Amino acid sequence: SMESPSYTLAAELRGHTGDVRGVATTPDGRILSVSRDTTLRLWRGFPAYEECVVCTGHVHFVSAVLFLPPNVVPSLPAGAIVSASHDKTAIVWESEQGKL
């Protein structure tokens, strides 16, 4: 019989003021989270994750998030983050510094 793996709490990311509805990761280990508080948050620094970016722009619950890697879309060579909301919009977030 196969044994089930066991897990222990590695990190807790706190900062949202509403239910967290979606998460995604980046290849370099950052975590993206979206919430009913209408924000997208980018976290870095395992194991003591720090909130490093808060994106505001949706006006209703945000329920989906996607990391778009660099060079997948020609017009977004540095990559981007895409979030989707109950406000009937999807927002493409691009770093002002040219990197995510």
Side-chain angles (χ1 to χ4, degrees):
S1 77
M2 292 182 56
E3 283 189 43
S4 296
S6 60
Y7 296 91
T8 58
L9 178 67
E12 212 169 314
L13 288 62
R14 294 187 173 271
H16 283 292
T17 58
D19 305 5
V20 175
R21 305 299 291 176
V23 295
T25 59
T26 65
D28 63 0
R30 290 173 292 172
I31 294 178
L32 303 162
S33 60
V34 293
S35 168
R36 286 187 181 216
D37 66 9
T38 74
T39 67
L40 177 153
R41 294 170 193 254
L42 176 66
W43 310 80
R44 68 173 170 215
F46 180 82
Y49 279 99
E50 292 179 11
E51 180 180 275
C52 57
V53 176
V54 177
C55 298
T56 59
H58 286 292
V59 295
H60 210 293
F61 304 158
V62 187
S63 55
V65 62
L66 167 79
F67 174 73
L68 185 64
N71 302 311
V72 171
V73 176
S75 60
L76 298 165
I81 297 165
V82 182
S83 59
S85 169
H86 289 248
D87 62 16
K88 302 182 180 112
T89 66
I91 294 179
V92 178
W93 305 92
E94 181 179 22
S95 171
E96 292 176 4
Q97 290 77 31
K99 61 182 181 177
L100 291 176

